[in-house]
Amino acid sequence: MSLCDYIYDVHRQKGNIFRKREQINYIGRKKVEGMPWCPKCKTEYREGFTVCADCGSELVKEQPVEERKASRREAFPELEVPETESVEDMAEDGAEENDSADEQSDAETKPRKSGGGSRFQDSSERASENRSSAWMLLILGTLGLIAVVLGAIGVLPIRMGNPYLFYGVMGAISILFVISGIVSMKNAKFFDKKAESENSLRSTLMEWCRENLDAGEIDGRVGAQGVSEEILYFRRFSYIKEKMNHQFVNLDQGFLDRFIDDYVYDFVFEGKEV
């Protein structure tokens, strides 16, 4: 079948469906608009008749909904639509879906103890990462330069179509590795110094927490009775953070979140000495 024939066939089928739906609507309108008909013989009569001439049944002017649906299904079975749920059932199912969605949303938004400071990476970790990268780049760059020199003087039997181009590219890459390693090593030293400052600040903050934070007082202020453990943690965390921000200005909030999560909370509420 060609593309044109296929398009024509699709449009023809759509036209047939449209015409059948119009016939269905016409049948429904005739039954509802007041045309007398016999509910037993299904025979229609003109206005003025009240009794069926065939069976003697009394004529009616409106077809019940169920019978109207049945007649449509009998006339056009290919257009039959499955029965749907009642409005009450649909409303009840929708309420259950909303409740389950709310429960899932609450579960996703509940604060977890490890969520506050996991986004912050302290300077000691960053210094370690930069130092590892620096040593790797320096080693690779140095080995590459040695290979280039040995190949250029003929010690390494490297046969390439254009040795000057090959050694030039290899030498440039090796030098780039060495430079990157030097930069990473400088960054590691920078973060080492920053880590010392963070450690000093951490000691100061911890000393203040030992003197000013009490578990009973905090629970009394945040309302610890009748709440879940997750909500209680969130309230305690927020109270401690607000109090520390009030005492120490210009603190890095990522650093503070992780500090409270890793040190302060366990010390205050679980008695773990840091």
Side-chain angles (χ1 to χ4, degrees), residues 169-204:
V169 173
M170 286 295 298
I173 295 175
S174 300
I175 293 174
L176 181 61
F177 279 8
V178 172
I179 294 174
S180 299
I182 294 173
V183 173
S184 297
M185 189 64 71
K186 289 184 177 180
N187 290 336
K189 293 180 179 180
F190 168 77
F191 285 120
D192 281 334
K193 294 181 179 180
K194 190 174 180 180
E196 294 178 1
S197 176
E198 288 180 359
N199 290 333
S200 176
L201 176 61
R202 192 177 289 112
S203 299
T204 303

Side-chain angles (χ1 to χ4, degrees), residues 125-220:
E125 295 176 352
R126 301 177 70 178
S128 178
E129 292 180 358
N130 276 272
R131 189 174 293 104
S132 299
S133 300
W135 282 115
M136 181 64 67
L137 291 170
L138 289 173
I139 292 173
L140 291 176
T142 303
L143 292 177
L145 290 176
I146 293 174
V148 169
V149 172
L150 294 178
I153 63 178
V155 175
L156 292 178
I158 300 177
R159 297 291 183 265
M160 301 298 298
N162 190 339
Y164 298 104
L165 178 62
F166 173 76
Y167 291 132
V169 173
M170 286 295 298
I173 295 175
S174 300
I175 293 174
L176 181 61
F177 279 8
V178 172
I179 294 174
S180 299
I182 294 173
V183 173
S184 297
M185 189 64 71
K186 289 184 177 180
N187 290 336
K189 293 180 179 180
F190 168 77
F191 285 120
D192 281 334
K193 294 181 179 180
K194 190 174 180 180
E196 294 178 1
S197 176
E198 288 180 359
N199 290 333
S200 176
L201 176 61
R202 192 177 289 112
S203 299
T204 303
L205 294 176
M206 199 65 211
E207 186 64 26
W208 180 87
C209 292
R210 290 190 181 96
E211 297 176 357
N212 296 274
L213 295 181
D214 179 74
E217 179 186 356
I218 294 174
D219 287 345

Side-chain angles (χ1 to χ4, degrees), residues 1-92:
M1 180 184 294
S2 64
L3 180 60
C4 293
D5 294 337
Y6 174 76
I7 295 175
Y8 172 76
D9 186 61
V10 170
H11 282 283
R12 182 173 58 81
Q13 293 178 4
K14 288 184 177 180
N16 291 337
I17 294 174
F18 175 77
R19 284 192 295 273
K20 288 183 178 181
R21 290 189 182 276
E22 288 296 319
Q23 294 174 6
I24 290 176
N25 295 332
Y26 174 72
I27 292 174
R29 289 194 299 270
K30 285 178 64 180
K31 300 297 184 183
V32 175
E33 288 173 356
M35 181 74 70
W37 67 285
C38 177
K40 185 176 181 180
C41 302
K42 312 300 182 185
T43 305
E44 297 180 359
Y45 290 86
R46 295 191 300 273
E47 289 291 341
F49 290 88
T50 58
V51 179
C52 178
D54 296 329
C55 65
S57 299
E58 185 177 357
L59 302 181
V60 297
K61 291 188 176 183
E62 183 176 356
Q63 186 182 23
V65 177
E66 294 299 328
E67 293 186 8
R68 188 163 64 248
K69 290 182 178 179
S71 63
R72 291 181 179 182
R73 287 196 295 267
E74 291 176 0
F76 306 100
E78 66 275 12
L79 298 180
E80 181 178 355
V81 180
E83 292 293 333
T84 59
E85 297 178 313
S86 63
V87 176
E88 292 79 5
D89 295 337
M90 294 175 65
E92 184 175 352

